[in-house]
Amino acid sequence: MISITDKTLQDLEFNTVLQTISEGCNTELGKQKALLIIPFQDKNLLMDNLAQTSEYLSSFSNNNAISNHGFESVNTELKFLAIEDSQLEVSGFRKIASLSETSNTLILFLKKFVEYYPKLNEKASKIEVTKYLIQKVEDVIDKYGEVRDNASPDLLNIRRDMNAVRGKVNQSFGMAMSHYNSLGYLDDIKESFVENRRVLAVLAMYRRKVKGSILGSSKTGSIAYIEPEATLNYSRELKNLEYEEKEEITRILKQLTTDIRPFLDLIIQYQEFLSDIDVIASKAKYANKINGILPTITAEKRLYFRDAYHPILFLNNKNKNEITHPQTIELNKESSIIVISGPNAGGKTISLKTVGLLQLMLQSGILIPVHERSETFLFDRILTDIGDNQSIENHLSTYSYRLKNMNYFLKKCNAKTLFLIDEFGTGSDPDLGGALAEVFLEEFYHREAYGIITTHYTNLKILANELPNATNANMLFDEKTLEPMYKLHLGQAGSSFTFEVAQKNGIPFGLINRAKKKIEGGKVRFDKTIATLQKERSKMEKTSQTLKEEEGKIRDESKKMETINAKIKQKLESYQELYDSNQKIIYIGQKIDDIAEKYFNTKNKKELLGDFLKIIEIENSKRKKATAKEIIAKDVLKKIVSKEVEVKVEEIRKEKKEKKLKLNTVILKPKIELKIGDKVRMFDGKATGTIDKIEKTKAVVNYGVFTSSVSLEVLEFVERPKK
């Protein structure tokens, strides 16, 4: 039987977590349920609930988002359905139909995606899927919330008659208005409405000349509102039909209520199911905010929270863009009790509350912000004594209250208990209170309970060091500035830094020395030793952190170098292949050139063909038949080489283009009209030639060995022959 008191819930601020979850719910019933979350009594129910929340959380990151679960509460309608011969309102029927449709859709969705949501589907599969309720309501009520004409034959006839009578009312009224208007009895507005009835606006002086019923007059009395006599008869008939319609609608709705009454339990199930899903969805949203997961739940008695965050502190700091420091804490058979010591404002209480709140959340079906390799055991009791609990109502001092609390601990504490005590032993004489606290701690230890306490008492630090399965711990502080590092270190007690903090805050050194003389030398030396050890530990932590950072940088650089080397090697291989291929082409080209020259001189075709065949046979003798894999590899290599060549060619083109642009941007020399006989050269060339001929935009330039036809635009004037 799990026993967790309201005091524990209050000490660990569990209600703040529930308030956040409640605000994330979509429905009023869901909000109420979220605030009533308590630790589960049944382990199987707890495991199912945790799995359901974890499944819903996974829906945020997959392509099968869970369908809508919103609904309006039908609690009022359920009360009426439980009463025989009662009748629901139209709005109530619509809410029930909507509730049924939403439930059916969600149940079928979870069945379809059972591989993704096995536990949610298991919950949903216990509820019946039926369209009866939806169909029954839709047969009677339309989407606008009106009772349908064909809801019954009698209603259909009544409404037909009503429409006919309304036509007669309008017709008779129109005739009366035309008649009396032609006689000049009506005001400019001609007509109005009184008590939802159409009336003539008759000038007061003519009211006796108009036959009908006076239903009222204007504020000034100048106009009388009269319903014409012919219209009055039809209005009475319409009123009777409206009464009949109302009676028939009441009968239809009463019958519909009777038809759905047998489904009362199913409607309750639908509402419970959707409100439960609403709470599960909100817990999943909360887990998403705090990076919550489901750690391993073990049968072995062990609590191991790695990189654990206090969820309330985490969200508050997140809103302020501040850092939250995670803690790693382990309780097991070899270390069943942890005694955390050290100065205030270092995070001792937060570490203690983090463990308690996370364990409480987990046992209430809420995912927690820890590393995925974390694991824990399910405790039967979580006992807490945190903060100053002085009771004004009971006129108890802090110490009396804490003693009363310790008495409760002694009654309830067993091997499946997790106890959390902040500032253990305070509120009384340090020596006497410390001795009593020491006895309590020994008692908890012998009962094999797991726990964490924070203290400044030296005797408790010594006891934790002496007990085989208890451990000292301290919150690390910067050795120079005495600023907290918010990091828990196991295995060593913490100094309170009493005199160091006093000195830092400007207390005169002489007074500090006098204070030291007033206490036992052994205690001062003990605290000083612990302080020295803590300072050394802080230095080591900093050095370790720096080394880790440097190691990480070196690893990254090494990976970069490996990648660069691999790329260079690949490029060299590609270029080697390209070079070999080009050399081969050059060699064959030279051979062909020799054969061509030989043929030019001899004109012997037979010899030419023989030479060609000889070259081909020589080349083929070097080849071997490639396998399919080698062909594929060769094609891939060709593509790589081709791509490399394309890139190189593109670079050369770009370079030439840039040169050309530079050439075009140079300060232009005065343009000289070119003539036959002028010496010229191309802008991007060095060879000089003479113009032999000019044809429109082109010139024939003689370079001595050969002539070339060149555009006049790319020629640069060099020299004109002297006459």
Side-chain angles (χ1 to χ4, degrees):
M1 180 74 176
I2 294 172
S3 172
I4 296 173
T5 64
D6 289 341
K7 181 187 177 305
T8 295
L9 301 179
Q10 187 182 336
D11 281 351
L12 297 173
E13 300 174 80
F14 185 59
N15 195 56
T16 305
V17 172
L18 299 189
Q19 192 65 47
T20 309
I21 292 171
S22 175
E23 287 165 7
C25 290
N26 295 335
T27 66
E28 282 305 314
L29 205 58
K31 289 178 191 292
Q32 291 166 22
K33 276 190 173 183
L35 292 173
L36 298 174
I37 291 173
I38 55 171
F40 281 82
Q41 296 291 325
D42 186 288
K43 184 183 175 181
N44 293 329
L45 286 176
L46 169 63
M47 297 308 294
D48 284 349
N49 197 271
L50 284 167
Q52 288 160 9
T53 307
S54 190
E55 285 174 9
Y56 206 109
L57 177 62
S58 71
S59 74
F60 299 151
S61 55
N62 65 36
N63 295 323
N64 303 303
I66 294 174
S67 56
N68 167 54
H69 59 263
F71 69 96
E72 284 186 77
S73 172
V74 292
N75 282 339
T76 306
E77 286 71 25
L78 292 173
K79 287 175 186 174
F80 275 103
L81 282 173
I83 303 167
E84 284 296 324
D85 293 328
S86 61
Q87 176 213 314
L88 299 182
E89 296 295 326
V90 170
S91 60
F93 288 115
R94 293 184 76 194
K95 284 197 279 184
I96 287 170
S98 175
L99 177 75
S100 178
E101 188 171 10
T102 304
S103 299
N104 287 348
T105 304
L106 187 52
I107 292 164
L108 292 171
F109 171 87
L110 293 171
K111 186 178 180 182
K112 183 180 177 182
F113 294 102
V114 63
E115 290 177 7
Y116 290 91
Y117 312 114
K119 284 294 176 184
L120 285 169
N121 177 63
E122 190 180 309
K123 181 181 180 68
S125 61
K126 294 170 185 172
I127 304 166
E128 181 190 346
V129 174
T130 176
K131 289 192 175 180
Y132 179 84
L133 293 169
I134 304 163
Q135 198 58 55
K136 268 289 177 186
V137 173
E138 285 183 351
D139 287 346
V140 173
I141 300 162
D142 65 18
K143 62 181 179 180
Y144 304 108
E146 299 292 333
V147 176
R148 295 181 187 275
D149 293 347
N150 60 357
S152 77
D154 288 347
L155 184 63
L156 185 63
N157 292 330
I158 290 167
R159 285 185 173 172
R160 278 176 183 165
D161 292 345
M162 285 172 70
N163 286 334
V165 172
R166 281 194 187 101
K168 289 175 182 178
V169 167
N170 290 334
Q171 188 181 4
S172 62
F173 186 85
M175 289 172 67
M177 187 169 67
S178 297
H179 174 66
Y180 291 120
N181 190 46
S182 64
L183 295 173
Y185 294 169
L186 303 183
D187 185 64
D188 290 342
I189 62 170
K190 294 180 185 178
E191 64 172 303
S192 187
F193 280 90
V194 175
E195 296 172 4
N196 210 26
R197 289 158 74 177
R198 203 172 172 193
V199 292
L200 295 171
V202 181
L203 294 168
M205 65 183 79
Y206 301 119
R207 69 178 181 276
R208 295 184 186 281
K209 293 185 178 184
V210 176
K211 292 180 181 181
S213 175
I214 298 175
L215 299 182
S217 62
S218 65
K219 288 180 182 179
T220 59
S222 60
I223 299 170
Y225 296 119
I226 301 172
E227 186 175 15
E229 191 175 37
T231 307
L232 191 59
N233 294 330
Y234 291 127
S235 292
R236 284 175 187 149
E237 190 180 345
L238 183 62
K239 213 167 186 67
N240 290 335
L241 287 169
E242 284 173 348
Y243 178 78
E244 286 178 29
E245 180 195 32
K246 190 177 178 183
E247 287 292 302
E248 181 59 18
I249 286 172
T250 302
R251 188 195 68 75
I252 291 166
L253 295 180
K254 204 165 187 178
Q255 182 58 49
L256 182 58
T257 308
T258 304
D259 290 341
I260 69 170
R261 186 170 281 114
F263 294 88
L264 174 62
D265 289 341
L266 182 61
I267 296 166
I268 292 169
Q269 275 187 302
Y270 282 159
Q271 181 162 267
E272 284 299 306
F273 170 66
L274 290 182
S275 57
D276 284 349
I277 293 294
D278 193 26
V279 175
I280 290 167
S282 187
K283 287 198 290 186
K285 289 179 206 167
Y286 182 70
N288 201 37
K289 281 184 190 174
I290 63 170
N291 303 320
I293 62 151
L294 173 57
T296 305
I297 309 291
T298 65
E300 181 194 349
K301 196 176 161 190
R302 182 192 184 213
L303 181 150
Y304 174 57
F305 288 155
R306 178 177 166 186
D307 294 339
Y309 289 90
H310 190 286
I312 300 169
L313 183 66
F314 178 80
L315 289 180
N316 287 342
N317 284 347
K318 195 176 179 183
N319 291 334
K320 297 175 189 172
N321 288 323
E322 292 178 4
I323 296 169
T324 308
H325 300 274
Q327 302 297 339
T328 297
I329 299 174
E330 181 174 8
L331 293 169
N332 53 42
K333 288 176 183 177
E334 288 74 38
S335 177
S336 60
I337 295 174
I338 296 175
V339 177
I340 307 175
S341 50
N344 293 330
K348 298 195 302 295
T349 305
I350 284 294
S351 295
L352 178 129
K353 281 186 171 184
T354 300
V355 173
L357 181 57
L358 294 189
Q359 187 66 33
L360 187 57
M361 284 168 62
L362 193 67
Q363 293 195 204
S364 303
I366 304 167
L367 304 182
I368 58 174
V370 292
H371 190 277
E372 58 188 8
R373 290 187 184 171
S374 299
E375 57 182 61
T376 190
F377 171 79
L378 297 178
F379 293 92
D380 285 353
R381 292 182 178 87
I382 299 175
L383 303 174
T384 58
D385 187 2
I386 300 170
D388 184 359
N389 293 297
Q390 184 169 345
S391 173
I392 295 169
E393 294 85 357
N394 298 322
H395 306 288
L396 295 174
S397 69
T398 301
Y399 190 60
S400 298
Y401 183 89
R402 300 198 83 163
L403 284 176
K404 194 175 179 182
N405 213 25
M406 283 303 106
N407 189 35
Y408 178 78
F409 274 38
L410 292 170
K411 286 177 184 176
K412 298 291 180 182
C413 194
N414 61 22
K416 289 188 176 180
T417 300
L418 173 67
F419 67 88
L420 305 160
I421 307 172
D422 190 30
E423 300 296 349
F424 194 29
T426 55
S428 179
D429 179 274
D431 290 331
L432 303 180
L436 199 54
E438 194 173 327
V439 173
F440 288 148
L441 187 59
E442 285 174 344
E443 189 62 27
F444 299 148
Y445 178 82
H446 292 309
R447 291 189 190 187
E448 297 181 353
Y450 281 13
I452 301 172
I453 70 166
T454 68
T455 187
H456 289 288
Y457 284 6
T458 303
N459 64 317
L460 295 179
K461 301 177 194 178
I462 294 168
L463 179 63
N465 198 46
E466 290 171 349
L467 294 172
N469 298 331
T471 307
N472 270 304
N474 67 83
M475 303 304 296
L476 292 180
F477 274 73
D478 188 283
E479 76 280 0
K480 291 179 182 175
T481 63
L482 291 181
E483 291 296 322
M485 293 167 71
Y486 301 104
K487 190 169 184 181
L488 183 69
H489 173 67
L490 296 172
Q492 183 183 308
S495 166
S496 296
F497 289 107
T498 307
F499 298 123
E500 288 86 347
V501 171
Q503 193 175 340
K504 186 191 172 192
N505 284 282
I507 304 300
F509 193 68
L511 291 179
I512 293 170
N513 276 338
R514 278 168 61 190
K516 284 182 180 179
K517 287 173 186 175
K518 286 184 180 290
I519 59 172
E520 295 173 29
K523 283 187 180 178
V524 176
R525 287 198 302 276
F526 180 73
D527 196 67
K528 191 176 180 182
T529 303
I530 292 174
T532 306
L533 286 169
Q534 272 191 264
K535 287 177 182 179
E536 290 301 320
R537 169 66 60 185
S538 296
K539 283 181 184 176
M540 285 173 68
E541 285 285 331
K542 281 187 176 179
T543 307
S544 173
Q545 188 64 34
T546 307
L547 286 171
K548 279 180 184 176
E549 287 172 5
E550 290 298 324
E551 187 185 353
K553 286 178 184 176
I554 290 164
R555 201 181 295 116
D556 291 343
E557 287 297 324
S558 176
K559 281 181 182 177
K560 281 181 187 176
M561 290 303 294
E562 282 176 14
T563 308
I564 291 165
N565 284 338
K567 284 181 180 177
I568 291 168
K569 191 177 178 183
Q570 190 180 2
K571 279 191 176 182
L572 284 171
E573 286 173 0
S574 299
Y575 283 130
Q576 186 62 48
E577 289 282 342
L578 183 63
Y579 175 78
D580 292 346
S581 176
N582 286 343
Q583 286 296 109
K584 186 177 177 181
I585 290 164
I586 291 164
Y587 170 74
I588 292 168
Q590 284 173 345
K591 284 279 184 186
I592 290 168
D593 189 54
D594 291 343
I595 292 165
E597 192 176 347
K598 189 177 178 183
Y599 176 71
F600 180 77
N601 294 325
T602 63
K603 303 293 183 188
N604 190 334
K605 287 183 182 179
K606 192 175 180 182
E607 196 176 350
L608 176 69
L609 289 170
D611 289 339
F612 266 120
L613 281 170
K614 197 184 286 180
I615 291 170
I616 291 163
E617 282 171 5
I618 290 166
E619 289 304 314
N620 282 346
S621 67
K622 296 173 186 175
R623 291 189 175 94
K624 64 174 182 177
K625 198 158 187 178
T627 62
K629 281 185 181 178
E630 286 173 339
I631 291 166
I632 292 165
K634 196 170 182 182
D635 289 343
V636 170
L637 186 64
K638 275 183 181 177
K639 283 177 184 175
I640 292 167
V641 171
S642 174
K643 197 157 188 177
E644 291 282 350
V645 171
E646 281 176 22
V647 170
K648 205 72 186 168
V649 167
E650 191 58 39
E651 284 175 3
I652 292 163
R653 280 179 182 160
K654 196 174 178 183
E655 200 177 322
K656 280 190 174 182
K657 200 172 182 182
E658 284 172 0
K659 279 183 181 178
K660 194 171 181 181
L661 283 169
K662 280 180 185 176
L663 194 65
N664 291 339
T665 53
V666 236
I667 300 166
L668 294 171
K669 294 178 183 178
K671 189 74 176 174
I672 298 171
E673 189 181 346
L674 298 175
K675 294 179 180 180
I676 295 167
D678 287 347
K679 282 191 177 181
V680 292
R681 65 165 166 255
M682 293 175 74
F683 283 118
D684 57 349
K686 292 180 181 178
T688 305
T690 307
I691 297 175
D692 284 354
K693 193 177 180 184
I694 294 175
E695 296 174 346
K696 294 182 181 178
T697 58
K698 289 191 175 183
V700 177
V701 181
N702 189 335
Y703 290 98
V705 182
F706 64 92
T707 59
S708 175
S709 180
V710 186
S711 173
L712 289 168
E713 289 179 0
V714 299
L715 290 175
E716 181 185 14
F717 176 79
V718 177
E719 188 183 0
R720 185 159 284 166
K722 293 177 182 178
K723 291 180 181 178

